[in-house]
Amino acid sequence: MERIAIYGKGGVGKSVVATNLSARFAQLGRKVLHVGCDPKHDSAVRLTNGEGNILTVLEVLADDPNPTSTDGILHEGRLGIHCCEAGGPEPGLGCGGRGVARTLEFLDEMNVIGSGGYEVVMFDVLGDVVCGGFAAPLRQGFAEKVFIVISEEPMALFAANNISKAIHVYHPNGVVLGGFVASLKSPDADRSVLDRFAAALSTRVLAFIPRDPLITCAERARKTVVEYAPDSASSKAFAALADEIASIDPASVPLPTPLGDEAFF
Amino acid sequence: MERIAIYGKGGVGKSVVATNLSARFAQLGRKVLHVGCDPKHDSAVRLTNGEGNILTVLEVLADDPNPTSTDGILHEGRLGIHCCEAGGPEPGLGCGGRGVARTLEFLDEMNVIGSGGYEVVMFDVLGDVVCGGFAAPLRQGFAEKVFIVISEEPMALFAANNISKAIHVYHPNGVVLGGFVASLKSPDADRSVLDRFAAALSTRVLAFIPRDPLITCAERARKTVVEYAPDSASSKAFAALADEIASIDPASVPLPTPLGDEAFF
Ligand SMILES: Nc1ncnc2c1ncn2[C@@H]1O[C@H](COP(=O)(O)OP(=O)(O)O)[C@@H](O)[C@H]1O
Ligand SMILES: Nc1ncnc2c1ncn2[C@@H]1O[C@H](COP(=O)(O)OP(=O)(O)O)[C@@H](O)[C@H]1O
Ligand code: SF4
Ligand SMILES: [Mg+2]
Ligand SMILES: [Mg+2]
């Protein structure tokens, strides 16, 4: 079973990467569970059958705190993908990661991952602050291979450095940093800066996802780009990335070597 | 006493705004307390006398959990400004806002705000997730006037919307949303989009801080731009903003009207 977590700064491009990877694995015939773990709750919806905004786990549990089935929580989306969206509490009220923590608790209670027959489990997780619920996917039995989405913006690199520090904390659970996925904000961004940053952290950039207008078109058509435009540059990059991810042996991945904070000021 | 909090998405430009406002108020003769509340801990250092990286409150308390004075925690910086930097726990270990929570606890215990004779208290706070320690400056006795730094980027607006929701939660403490401060990432960003966004939330953009290369020069010279280049476009914008902030009567500020999350997808 591939147990993947996509982390990164808010807005850097995690959900585009995570939903396209889930769709790609499903196209290859894998049974996929996709879990949205960002209070922005707009990940799983990109894989659903025009349901629009699916209810988050926090919303469902507000009405029924002790559900006895996965109905209303797990949704079957396109390509046979099973999805759920954690949700987040209202800002200012309780832990921002509470939706993620409660969702993973529920998946554990219902033994969804253990008994669901999934071949790929994909967590799409906000990584601005790696604490509370946002660190929950790194605990035992959830994510194994973490991939951090970066861009050329300094704040995206600072967040990647912080997430790499968290990898150390959860390493005893078998969590590894599989690598970075670069999602460039500008077509003329300097890729060598990102390669050097990855090397400094003892990892590498596995893929550069080009800025692709077809991703915006796909979004409007409520599809992932690998479904909407399979021959596009970005779809080919996602297909290659999926193969790369599957070929990573966690046992041979070194620990990352995050930089001191001063490196960013 | 002006009790101000500068909130906004990570990297949007809060510390540039907050340190320049603190420096401007000090230039006008006010006694200022400047509190850095971002785990990135790079705010107060911009106002210090070349001390380089000042110790964060969390670091000091790690050695001495029950200090009996403000030594080592409050620093006198340039222009007579008193500053401290909250710090943050290591990612993956404990609440991301723990440094902020512990710092405000300390300020309370030592009655720093009540007895320090300050005329301006400035909190520079990370606003990606408004929870735990990051919401602490909105509690009784800390911030009164909140200003949210926005840019033309959608994620900065989504964060501003979330922070506006948190204003509702803490409104009973007398917290008000004074307005937005626009820090444009691109010189040809569409300002009218930001004015319309502010109007939709029942607030307004108080200032547009232009992208100014002198801000980068000032940073390298370890000064704020209002000290380094007082006649620059951005320095004039900060001076006008400081006057605008001082003229706001909290009792006459309406509650913001945040949009539903769907407005951002
Ligand atoms: N490679 C890309 N090309 C074009 N648009 C992109 C690309 N990656 C992301 N985007 C757009 O950027 C926005 C943010 O991406 P998203 O994946 O939702 O970020 P996150 O999940 O990290 O918050 C979305 O509107 C998305 O369509
Ligand atoms: N108006 C501006 N013009 C030029 N550079 C800016 C401007 N505002 C912010 N910056 C730069 O952008 C970076 C992030 O700004 P900062 O204030 O540290 O953000 P935050 O505190 O929100 O994380 C800094 O390097 C800063 O010098
Ligand atoms: S643990 Fe993290 S997400 Fe939870 S309250 Fe603290 S800062 Fe917020
Ligand atoms: Mg997302
Ligand atoms: Mg800052």
Side-chain angles (χ1 to χ4, degrees), chain B residues 10-26:
Chain B
V12 72
K14 291 178 293 301
S15 298
V16 164
V17 171
T19 53
N20 276 284
L21 285 174
S22 287
R24 174 60 182 174
F25 282 120

Side-chain angles (χ1 to χ4, degrees), chain A residues 40-41 92 130 165 261 265, chain B residues 40-41 90 92 130 261 265:
Chain A
K40 211 185 356 158
H41 61 85
V130 195
K165 290 184 187 179
D261 285 347
F265 306 151
Chain B
K40 210 181 4 156
H41 61 84
E90 280 308 296
V130 195
D261 285 346
F265 306 151

Side-chain angles (χ1 to χ4, degrees), chain A residues 7-19 38 40 42-43 46 124-126 149 182-185 209-216 219 234 238, chain B residues 154-155 264:
Chain A
Y7 270 85
K9 176 149 192 63
V12 72
K14 290 177 295 300
S15 297
V16 165
V17 171
T19 53
D38 185 324
K40 211 185 356 158
D42 66 347
S43 181
R46 301 180 199 196
D124 175 357
V125 198
L126 185 70
V149 182
S183 183
L184 304 170
K185 291 295 183 216
I209 310 297
R211 192 107 199 129
D212 193 342
L214 286 168
I215 285 179
T216 315
E219 208 155 281
S234 51
F238 286 125
Chain B
M155 283 304 301
F264 295 88

